[in-house]
Amino acid sequence: MSSRAVLFDADGVLQRPTFDWWTRLGSLVPSDGEAFVAELMAAEKPSLVGKGDFRDALADVLRRWNSAATVDEAIEPWSWFAAEPEVIELIQTLRAAGIGCHLATNQHAYRRAIMQDERGYGGWFDRTFYSCDLGLAKPDPAYFRAILGAIDVPASEVLFIDDNAANVAGASAVGLRAELYDLSAGVPALIELLRRHDLPV
């Protein structure tokens, strides 16, 4: 049985960084940039499920580290990404063939606004599921159950594609067809993956 719907992750599947944001963030403090970035990533987590404003969390970390950077300077790297045109074309091919295509991504409200409102991601998909809107994030199985309820397709007929093994495991736990894929493998590898699930690409 072929899949009736496909859930696409964003970072690493649909889009990739356009600049070295990790190095940029590490440069915002005079030393131990790696620990600083790790603290930023930890501070980001509550906002991914809609709890608190990421800008406020970012400001707190900057203060703790006595960074001279402004919040605007520190948050800018979260906008350094671009969608892969060939992947967008594949999604439109699937949709034209009657396959439901949905975005399933962990994002806070700041980045959601860039993707959905500024760059028009909503127009590429039938539905978009941002973790900050759902109040749930991958790899929590409840995240996937919420999406299944919204699209009303049995888990066994939904393909989920993500570059994170833990997220793939979370999707598998609720019965989705879950596959690990990273854009670094190239778009032909994604085409082959879709064809293995009898999808028309």
Side-chain angles (χ1 to χ4, degrees):
M1 184 186 299
S2 62
S3 300
R4 287 173 51 198
V6 185
L7 307 180
F8 290 88
D9 174 43
D11 297 292
V13 173
L14 174 71
Q15 63 195 27
R16 66 178 94 229
T18 51
F19 297 99
D20 184 354
W21 60 272
W22 189 275
T23 298
R24 168 58 179 161
L25 289 174
S27 73
L28 300 180
V29 291
S31 62
D32 209 358
E34 189 170 328
F36 170 72
V37 176
E39 190 168 331
L40 284 178
M41 297 301 105
E44 180 188 37
K45 287 185 177 179
S47 61
L48 293 178
V49 291
K51 296 179 179 176
D53 188 317
F54 179 54
R55 292 178 66 93
D56 293 339
L58 189 54
D60 287 342
V61 176
L62 293 173
R63 279 195 294 270
R64 283 199 298 273
W65 282 76
N66 295 312
S67 173
T70 66
V71 171
D72 285 342
E73 290 169 337
I75 207 169
E76 185 182 11
W78 270 266
S79 68
W80 293 352
F81 64 90
E84 171 56 57
E86 288 182 76
V87 176
I88 302 306
E89 288 178 17
L90 281 176
I91 292 167
Q92 303 322 306
T93 297
L94 290 170
R95 292 179 72 195
I99 305 298
C101 293
H102 313 287
L103 181 66
T105 181
N106 287 352
Q107 305 291 343
H108 46 65
Y110 172 79
R111 208 154 187 253
R112 178 204 184 281
I114 295 173
M115 294 168 66
Q116 192 77 1
D117 303 332
E118 294 182 18
R119 303 190 186 176
Y121 278 41
W124 302 338
F125 295 93
D126 294 290
R127 300 282 297 274
T128 53
F129 298 99
Y130 294 90
S131 60
C132 61
D133 294 333
L134 292 179
L136 298 161
K138 300 177 287 186
D140 185 347
Y143 172 88
F144 300 103
R145 292 192 191 100
I147 293 177
L148 289 172
I151 65 174
D152 195 27
V153 177
S156 61
E157 297 177 33
V158 178
L159 172 63
F160 170 67
I161 304 170
D162 200 290
D163 66 327
N164 182 294
N167 295 341
V168 169
S172 294
V174 297
L176 277 78
R177 305 177 182 191
E179 296 274 5
L180 192 66
Y181 166 79
D182 192 293
L183 260 176
S184 62
V187 176
L190 177 59
I191 294 172
E192 177 58 30
L193 185 162
L194 294 168
R195 286 177 177 165
R196 286 202 307 271
H197 288 269
D198 298 319
L199 288 163
V201 291

